[in-house]
């Protein structure tokens, strides 16, 4: 079954085709910006029972009237059968479209990325007839962007970098940088980035951090994720409001619903980090309603070694 993070790692290139030009610079290859890009059919099946599909396929047209095909694969783990499939894809694309194909593999863990970056020869060891050499973007080479100005320069690259670093110890700072960079951009630009980031983080602990940041930093946006978070708050707010019978209670309930979601995320991250949380500290976290303080605690939780690290001043 295709995971949401798998989908985001290649779909971001459909949304931002020019992103490959910037990624290629990170990977040490000079591929200029496209003049246009066309999403191509991903079905590479021949008239045989065996079905083959590439994750994303783009036709990239350049200013010098040259064109090439970019096949993008999101790879979640090592798969000894995959290099043969990739070779098939590239040979098929060359034969069908008469355009030079390139392969970009996007990974979220270092071991898989380093495996995918190896050359894969086909043929006798002394005289290989083909050697596959993919371009690979992953946590081993994508930048860790924690500077807001740098993130604003290229939001698509910053989004892909955040997705590939989903398991990084600094993911809290990376996501905070991205959410801050999105505050001043038009909603039409921010919405797809909010959704792609959430999709790319999948079910990792960082996903809850992103939801909390969206709830606090990007609450004025109307993306699907923002609306979902607000709906949760409204539901809890209505329940609280009915119990108290006052509009004031409903408003408080909505705020409490948002705060409760963040506090649950803090406690979950501390538990996953193996940090013991005494009852007094738990009550302090659950009783806090200040979103600035909660956000600060949330960012510290993934790297905390004790609950004192979370509460530290400054």
């Amino acid at each position: 079954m295709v995971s949401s993070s798998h989908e985001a790692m290649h779909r971001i290139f459909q949304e931002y085709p020019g992103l490959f030009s910037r990624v290629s610079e990170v990977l040490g290859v000079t591929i200029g910006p496209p003049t246009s890009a066309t999403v191509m059919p991903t079905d590479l099946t021949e008239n045989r029972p065996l079905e083959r599909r590439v994750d994303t396929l783009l036709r990239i047209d350049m200013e010098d009237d040259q064109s090439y095909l970019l096949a993008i694969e999101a790879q979640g783990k090592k798969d000894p059968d995959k290099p043969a499939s990739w070779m098939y894809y590239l040979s098929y694309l060359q034969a069908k479209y008469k355009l030079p194909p390139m392969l970009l593999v996007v990974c979220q863990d270092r071991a898989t990325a380093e495996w995918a970056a190896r050359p894969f020869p086909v043929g006798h060891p002394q005289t290989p007839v083909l050697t596959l050499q993919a371009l690979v973007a992953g946590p081993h080479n994508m930048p860790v962007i924690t500077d807001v100005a740098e993130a604003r320069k290229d939001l698509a690259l910053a989004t892909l970098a955040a997705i590939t670093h989903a398991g990084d110890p600094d993911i809290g700072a990376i996501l905070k940088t991205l959410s801050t960079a999105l505050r001043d951009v038009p909603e039409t630009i921010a919405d797809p980035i909010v959704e792609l980031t959430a999709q790319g983080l999948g079910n990792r602990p960082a996903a809850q951090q992103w939801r909390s940041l969206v709830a606090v930093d990007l609450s004025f946006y109307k993306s699907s994720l923002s609306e979902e978070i607000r709906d949760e708050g409204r539901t809890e707010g209505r329940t609280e409001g009915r119990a108290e019978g006052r509009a004031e209670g409903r408003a408080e309930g909505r705020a409490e619903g948002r705060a409760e979601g963040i506090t649950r995320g803090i406690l979950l991250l501390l538990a996953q980090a193996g940090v013991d949380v005494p009852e007094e500290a738990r009550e302090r976290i659950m009783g806090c309603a200040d979103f600035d303080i909660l956000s600060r605690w949330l960012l510290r939780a993934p790297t905390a070694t004790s609950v004192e690290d979370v509460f530290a001043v400054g």
Side-chain angles (χ1 to χ4, degrees):
M1 180 178 181
V2 176
S3 66
S4 60
S5 57
H6 177 282
E7 186 77 10
M9 283 192 287
H10 66 85
R11 192 166 67 84
I12 188 173
F13 291 91
Q14 297 180 23
E15 300 288 338
Y16 309 100
L19 173 60
F20 177 64
S21 176
R22 280 99 73 190
V23 171
S24 71
E25 294 177 9
V26 176
L27 305 183
V29 181
T30 303
I31 304 293
T35 55
S36 65
T38 306
V39 177
M40 305 285 284
T42 60
D43 189 348
L44 308 184
T45 308
E46 294 184 345
N47 294 325
R48 299 182 298 170
L50 184 61
E51 182 178 292
R52 300 178 186 271
R53 290 181 184 272
V54 67
D55 287 337
T56 281
L57 179 62
L58 300 174
R59 172 179 170 143
I60 304 294
D61 300 313
M62 309 292 286
E63 287 185 352
D64 55 5
D65 293 329
Q66 301 227 342
S67 302
Y68 64 94
L69 298 174
L70 177 61
I72 304 163
E73 287 277 287
Q75 191 67 23
K77 61 182 180 180
K78 298 178 185 178
D79 182 351
D81 295 328
K82 210 56 190 276
S85 296
W86 291 337
M87 290 182 189
Y88 173 89
Y89 297 164
L90 298 173
S91 298
Y92 178 89
L93 292 171
Q94 177 77 51
K96 180 175 181 179
Y97 294 105
K98 309 301 183 191
L99 291 173
M102 298 183 69
L103 173 64
L104 173 66
V105 181
V106 185
C107 307
Q108 285 182 300
D109 72 274
R110 181 178 294 270
T112 301
E114 291 176 347
W115 164 81
R118 290 166 34 200
F120 293 96
V122 170
H124 190 280
Q126 294 184 15
T127 57
V129 293
L130 291 172
T131 299
L132 173 72
Q133 184 70 69
L135 293 172
V136 180
H140 67 305
N141 58 9
M142 290 300 289
V144 175
I145 300 177
T146 55
D147 179 79
V148 175
E150 183 181 357
R152 283 179 176 147
K153 287 179 183 177
D154 195 332
L155 289 170
L157 181 63
T159 303
L160 180 65
I163 291 172
T164 55
H165 287 287
D168 194 288
D170 294 328
I171 187 61
I174 294 170
L175 294 177
K176 179 61 177 177
T177 299
L178 182 58
S179 69
T180 302
L182 291 175
R183 286 180 183 174
D184 300 325
V185 304
E187 190 172 336
T188 53
I189 296 175
D191 279 357
I193 289 178
V194 169
E195 301 301 328
L196 277 167
T197 304
Q199 190 178 35
L201 297 174
N203 58 2
R204 295 169 181 261
Q208 180 58 47
Q209 291 179 265
W210 183 242
R211 288 176 63 87
S212 300
L213 288 169
V214 170
V216 175
D217 292 349
L218 305 176
S219 59
F220 45 87
Y221 285 133
K222 297 179 181 178
S223 68
S224 299
L225 182 64
S226 303
E227 288 296 330
E228 180 183 333
I229 294 172
R230 281 195 287 272
D231 285 343
E232 291 174 0
R234 280 194 288 267
T235 299
E236 295 190 30
R238 284 194 294 269
T239 301
E240 182 69 18
R242 284 194 295 269
E244 296 185 4
R246 299 193 302 270
E248 182 180 310
R250 286 194 295 271
E252 291 177 358
R254 285 194 292 270
E256 289 174 6
R258 290 172 57 197
E260 184 178 345
I262 301 175
T263 57
R264 283 200 300 265
I266 295 170
L267 293 172
L268 174 63
L269 291 170
L270 289 174
Q272 290 174 333
V275 174
D276 180 57
V277 182
E279 187 60 32
E280 182 180 348
R282 183 180 296 273
E283 291 178 358
R284 180 179 176 184
I285 293 171
M286 296 299 293
C288 181
D290 188 312
F291 291 117
D292 289 338
I293 294 176
L294 287 172
S295 297
R296 187 163 62 248
W297 291 351
L298 181 67
L299 291 175
R300 292 173 177 171
T303 56
T305 58
S306 69
V307 74
E308 285 75 20
D309 293 340
V310 175
F311 296 144
V313 177

